[in-house]
Amino acid sequence: LRTSLVSLAYDDISWTEFFSNMILPVSAASVINAAMLFMYYSSELFPGASGFCECLGIVFSGNRTPEMLAQEHAYHARNVQAIHVEESSAGWSVWSKIQIVLVTIFLVCFAVGLDVCVTSISAGAILMVLAAWKRQHYDPRPEIVDYDAEGNALPPKKMYDMDGNEIEPEEEELVTESETTLTEVDYGLLMLFIGQFILIGSFDDTGVPQAFFNLAMGGCAAQMTAVPCVYWFVLVITILSNVASNVPVVQMLAATFPYATPYDWMQVSFSATIAGNLTMLGSAANMIVAFQAAKVGDRTFTSERHAPFGIPSTILCLYAGTALLSLVHFSPECSVKLGECDDQ
């Protein structure tokens, strides 16, 4: 999505045009990725399964192996032993429905061509205000209870003044957004993106990216997205995306090729997005997942474990999608900014 939004910012590419071009290559890449996911992680997703067919049976018919049942029983046993057990709510909550409505409106506004930045900021602000109101007036207050060494709840402590009169506890303060939402913002990640964009912006002014692409593309520099040059072009984008991350690379390409055609941007958007899955450093999303998993104690999502699956799946998805996009696309192969499309 991030690279797609960056690509859409440089030419008048509508949401429907972008969707019509991407539906076929993205669907093919999704099928390939799902198939390789089954092959590589089947022992972890379906412990005890004897083969691919049994895995499909588990997915579509709800069958369970003895190993899966043992894990489910252990999970439920841990929940029973927990001090607080949350009651499962039936159906969608009213807050979930409101969020679905707001997200749907956001997508509709994006699809009809409203400004991307204004639409995104407005939707985010409304969701933040809604979450704050819900937390202040609807969610139950967190209970501050102390426990002894055996796990028994201790009664609240009472305080007395000099005359022996009990001091009434002060009213519970409201939980503010500075204690909840603002503390959950990943400021390190924000600084990472800010630094990347400043660095790439300064790097573009040197003229080195332009010279590098002309040298790397060689005789294909004038016809980057023409077959067979497009396959070398997406390889260069893939390598750069895993060196500097995919979003800064798209920003660099925008400065390097300011008069690229809408079809060129389709290829850039698809290849840069898929290339982010090659290694852990290819996309900030990979690092976010690894950091969040580490916070809950799961440190198995590493570069060593990701590479045997990420490299072959990314290469297959990248070139299969690129081939399909080169065969079936609806964007013009003329520069909008140069006015070449006016004559067509």
Coordinates of all heavy atoms in Angstrom, one line a residue, residues 145 160 316 325 339:
V145 N -5.2 -3.6 41.8 CA -5.3 -4.5 42.9 C -4.0 -5.1 43.2 O -3.3 -5.6 42.3 CB -6.4 -5.6 42.6 CG1 -6.5 -6.6 43.9 CG2 -7.7 -5.0 42.3
Y160 N -5.1 7.5 57.2 CA -5.7 8.3 58.3 C -4.9 9.5 58.5 O -3.7 9.5 58.3 CB -5.8 7.4 59.6 CG -6.6 6.2 59.4 CD1 -6.0 5.0 59.0 CD2 -7.9 6.2 59.7 CE1 -6.7 3.8 58.9 CE2 -8.7 5.0 59.6 CZ -8.1 3.8 59.2 OH -8.8 2.7 59.0
L316 N 9.5 -15.9 -7.4 CA 8.5 -16.4 -8.2 C 7.3 -15.5 -8.4 O 6.8 -15.2 -9.5 CB 8.0 -17.7 -7.6 CG 8.9 -19.0 -7.8 CD1 8.3 -20.2 -7.0 CD2 9.1 -19.3 -9.2
L325 N 1.5 -8.6 -15.8 CA 1.2 -7.2 -15.9 C 1.7 -6.6 -17.3 O 1.1 -5.7 -17.8 CB 1.9 -6.4 -14.8 CG 1.7 -4.9 -14.7 CD1 0.2 -4.6 -14.5 CD2 2.4 -4.3 -13.5
G339 N 2.5 15.4 -21.8 CA 1.4 15.6 -22.7 C 1.3 14.6 -23.9 O 0.6 14.9 -24.9

